[in-house]
Amino acid sequence: MTEVCGEKTVLLEVRDLHVSYGAIKALTGVSLKVCEGEIVCVIGSNGAGKSTLMNAIMAMVRREKGEVILSGKPLEAKSFRVVQQGVSLSPEGRKVFAPLSVLENLRMGAFSRGADKGVEEDLEWVFSLFPRLKERIDQYAGTLSGGEQQMLAIGRALMARPRVLLLDEPSLGLAPIIIKDIFRELRRINNEGVTILLVEQNARQALLLSHRGYVLQTGQIVQEGPSADLLANADIKAAYLGGGHGAGKTTKALS
Amino acid sequence: MGTLLQQIINGLSLGSVYALIAVGYSLVYSILLFSNFAHGGFLVIGGYICYGILKTFGTNIWLAGGLSLAGAGIAAVLTERLAYRPIRERTNVTLYLLIASMGMSIVIENIFVIVAGGRFRALPPVIPTAPINFFGFATTSAFDLLSLVSAVVFLGALQLFLLKTRWGLAIRAAAYDLRTAGLMGVNVNRLISIVFFVAGALAAVGGIFLSVRYTLYPQLGAITIKAFVAAVIGGLGSLPGAVVGSLILGLAEMLTAGFISSQMRDLVVFSMLVITLLVKPTGLFGKSVSEKV
Ligand SMILES: Nc1ncnc2c1ncn2[C@@H]1O[C@H](COP(=O)(O)OP(=O)(O)OP(=O)(O)O)[C@@H](O)[C@H]1O
Ligand SMILES: [Mg+2]
């Protein structure tokens, strides 16, 4: 296989990752690469192991075998160290701290940075990405709409100033118009230099947004390639894109 | 009228001591979701350290108090490390933690039976207990006022810590969702240690005041059951609930003692528990934040 990153450096690499829950094998040898500055997506249906992959990178579940490497250094086995090393996750189901205000949620995101001066600047940056969060700065996170909670979860993960931002199903349970909004902001976040690894069931949106994609099926990567190729692929159309309407006009997404 | 005021002050004073104990207990509950029955042990450890230092190094209550708080805090952290962490790392079933805490409670009590003996001990008279006259129509003791004021100071400090510091924010977040707090880069084990330290130190303050009120003995920790009841009345896991529940309980006890009969105190306390569980099982301030999914 040719080197996927070419001239660019490999920022995050997952090597032969295995994870099981008791007798259930959730991941059996997953390998993937994310290049500096890229958006990479992993698509897969229910139970394919997408969340397990995210949680294993974050060390929220035990990596049984294999390793995750960030810029040549293995990610440690403790979640708080992984965050300090430069990876943060916007988890599935958003998981905002409902009884805390929007501002407090964002400050929690910056926890690992201590008294870093840059935190105040980054708050402004997150508010510029998601102005609705600024309007609701003192509101309890639990009273936000689903879309706003997703923005908050992404903003909170950004407050860690990650080198790689992980996103677990940011489109989950949201109306198509809100998904469009959020994915547009993800592109903008990427343009500002944040590398993104995204897992999604919403394959079309994920492939339209990303540069490269992987297909995860029952714990294994079964296909990979430039997102445009995956979008055009007949098998993927049939399995993940619901018959493939509109899959033709994909080039526009791959700026 | 005078007696009523007097009993109200006494009730608030007793309630404020319960609050110190109930808040620490509730704090631990809010993070780990189990009833830490060893909490009473922390109070006893605090009491004995204070007693030991006063007996050996003279009557400096600030020194004795400070070391007592630190000692009980450290004992609480060690209890968590030795008895709870190994369980936490293996399972999510909180019942095991509950059972381990019952075991630790017995261990701590018996350590003091062996080391200090079962005798009742009076703390050297370092805390003033002189009567104080209120505008001529009510009398209370300096001790009651002092314990009330101390409780306000310590609970105020806790509140400031929780609201104004980075770790305080992390503790509030963890009380809602410990796992996700870990995703934010919080060292969860350290957070739990901090919570246990705070709970142990607050219990020691309660332990010192209870030792003065009732004398010190290895089973003094059993009084924590009142603080549990207060926490349940206020709403398990809620800190304002723990304080309000404690004050209600202290008042109810003292008013019963003053106007009905001292023997009825505990009956009233446990009736209140039963009524709470029947009428509003989540307590006065029980968690009711609606979570949108
Ligand atoms: N805590 C757990 N205990 C036992 N099995 C689990 C656990 N979490 C996940 N699994 C199993 O591991 C497999 C992968 O689950 P995972 O949540 O990673 O899938 P997913 O791709 O994220 O699915 P979805 O799209 O529904 O979120 C599934 O078979 C699931 O049942
Ligand atoms: Mg999932």
Side-chain angles (χ1 to χ4, degrees):
Chain A
M1 199 187 76
T2 55
E3 177 50 59
V4 290
C5 290
E7 307 278 274
K8 289 178 281 182
T9 53
V10 180
L11 188 51
L12 184 80
E13 181 175 1
V14 176
R15 272 192 207 151
D16 190 33
L17 190 62
H18 292 248
V19 174
S20 24
Y21 301 100
I24 303 166
K25 293 198 189 308
L27 297 182
T28 49
V30 169
S31 298
L32 58 83
K33 283 180 184 170
V34 182
C35 318
E36 184 100 50
E38 257 191 329
I39 304 181
V40 171
C41 76
V42 176
I43 57 174
S45 43
N46 279 118
K50 303 182 298 298
S51 298
T52 303
L53 172 63
M54 296 280 105
N55 288 331
I57 295 174
M58 294 307 298
M60 296 296 281
V61 298
R62 205 173 71 85
R63 306 175 199 129
E64 201 169 278
K65 182 166 171 252
E67 51 187 354
V68 186
I69 295 155
L70 181 76
S71 291
K73 278 208 193 118
L75 287 184
E76 295 189 24
K78 292 195 167 106
S79 302
F80 75 94
R81 290 288 304 146
V82 173
V83 178
Q84 287 168 0
Q85 285 179 282
V87 183
S88 66
L89 169 69
S90 162
E92 181 175 63
R94 313 185 271 269
K95 297 284 162 61
V96 297
F97 299 109
L100 303 189
S101 71
V102 166
L103 181 63
E104 287 174 326
N105 268 273
L106 292 173
R107 289 204 183 283
M108 269 312 286
F111 183 87
S112 60
R113 299 167 64 185
D116 179 350
K117 291 272 191 307
V119 170
E120 303 306 313
E121 279 170 34
D122 288 345
L123 272 175
E124 288 311 315
W125 175 52
V126 168
F127 287 141
S128 76
L129 293 166
F130 301 112
R132 284 168 61 180
L133 294 182
K134 185 159 196 175
E135 290 161 23
R136 291 162 175 74
I137 186 163
D138 291 322
Q139 200 170 316
Y140 288 124
T143 64
L144 298 177
S145 74
E148 290 159 355
Q149 288 192 7
Q150 187 59 62
M151 295 172 196
L152 181 57
I154 295 170
R156 190 179 61 176
L158 284 174
M159 286 304 294
R161 264 290 174 193
R163 302 185 61 194
V164 182
L165 172 67
L166 306 183
L167 299 162
D168 192 343
E169 301 215 37
S171 74
L172 190 76
L174 301 181
I177 184 155
I178 310 277
I179 298 176
K180 279 231 167 61
D181 272 3
I182 285 178
F183 276 56
R184 198 181 48 236
E185 290 316 310
L186 292 179
R187 156 107 357 121
R188 198 168 138 201
I189 290 164
N190 177 246
N191 285 339
E192 299 195 15
V194 182
T195 303
I196 296 177
L197 174 62
L198 159 89
V199 301
E200 262 295 348
Q201 268 194 65
N202 189 332
R204 180 183 313 284
Q205 287 298 335
L207 289 171
L208 283 172
L209 174 73
S210 58
H211 303 102
R212 286 188 307 113
Y214 293 83
V215 180
L216 184 67
Q217 196 180 307
T218 53
Q220 283 180 323
I221 300 289
V222 292
Q223 281 216 44
E224 62 176 281
S227 300
D229 297 358
L230 294 177
L231 264 174
N233 181 302
D235 295 342
I236 293 177
K237 262 189 214 169
Y240 300 102
L241 299 174
H245 48 88
K249 31 174 198 164
T250 59
T251 40
K252 145 178 158 289
L254 301 156
S255 47
Chain B
M1 183 60 205
T3 350
L4 178 65
L5 186 62
Q6 193 168 316
Q7 292 303 331
I8 288 177
I9 293 170
N10 293 348
L12 290 177
S13 159
L14 180 64
S16 67
V17 175
Y18 290 160
L20 288 167
I21 303 166
V23 159
Y25 161 80
S26 230
L27 197 56
V28 168
Y29 182 90
S30 71
I31 303 287
L32 292 181
L33 301 176
F34 81 102
S35 268
N36 176 26
F37 281 99
H39 195 69
F42 306 158
L43 163 174
V44 173
I45 292 171
Y48 274 102
I49 293 177
C50 186
Y51 175 84
I53 289 174
L54 287 176
K55 282 287 182 195
T56 32
F57 299 106
T59 53
N60 185 339
I61 183 62
W62 298 106
L63 176 73
L67 289 175
S68 156
L69 263 65
I74 291 167
V77 172
L78 289 179
T79 303
E80 196 280 320
R81 291 254 169 125
L82 297 175
Y84 306 157
R85 186 175 299 178
I87 298 174
R88 280 199 290 115
E89 281 169 356
R90 280 172 186 75
T91 169
N92 293 325
V93 185
T94 55
L95 181 63
Y96 297 127
L97 292 172
L98 182 92
I99 294 167
S101 80
M102 290 175 169
M104 284 310 293
S105 156
I106 295 169
V107 168
I108 294 171
E109 181 182 318
N110 283 287
I111 287 175
F112 284 100
V113 171
I114 294 165
V115 174
R119 286 197 293 123
F120 291 77
R121 292 165 193 276
L123 237 54
V126 282
I127 297 179
T129 48
I132 286 183
N133 204 309
F134 262 102
F135 317 111
F137 66 94
T139 332
T140 179
S141 79
F143 168 77
D144 276 323
L145 288 181
L146 208 60
S147 69
L148 188 57
V149 170
S150 306
V152 169
V153 168
F154 278 100
L155 295 176
L158 174 66
Q159 184 72 353
L160 276 181
F161 168 66
L162 290 176
L163 290 180
K164 299 289 176 201
T165 70
R166 190 166 143 261
W167 278 98
L169 173 63
I171 288 170
R172 286 185 290 136
Y176 177 72
D177 184 345
L178 183 63
R179 213 177 132 75
T180 303
L183 260 186
M184 303 292 109
V186 177
N187 180 344
V188 167
N189 280 329
R190 182 179 296 171
L191 182 140
I192 290 172
S193 290
I194 292 174
V195 164
F196 270 85
F197 184 88
V198 169
L202 290 178
V205 181
I208 294 170
F209 281 108
L210 287 175
S211 307
V212 175
R213 189 184 283 273
Y214 300 126
T215 73
L216 178 61
Y217 52 101
Q219 292 80 21
L220 181 64
I223 207 154
T224 313
I225 193 78
K226 299 264 181 73
F228 295 169
V229 173
V232 172
I233 291 175
L236 262 184
S238 154
L239 301 191
V243 173
V244 173
S246 298
L247 294 179
I248 291 176
L249 209 63
L251 281 174
E253 262 193 60
M254 283 310 184
L255 292 177
T256 312
F259 294 101
I260 306 173
S261 126
S262 207
Q263 272 122 40
M264 299 283 284
R265 282 165 67 156
D266 288 357
L267 182 67
V268 169
V269 166
F270 290 102
S271 308
M272 287 174 67
L273 174 65
V274 172
I275 292 168
T276 305
L277 292 177
L278 289 177
V279 177
K280 195 166 186 296
T282 52
L284 295 172
F285 292 69
K287 280 186 186 159
S288 60
V289 181
S290 62
E291 186 190 358
K292 282 193 185 170
V293 183

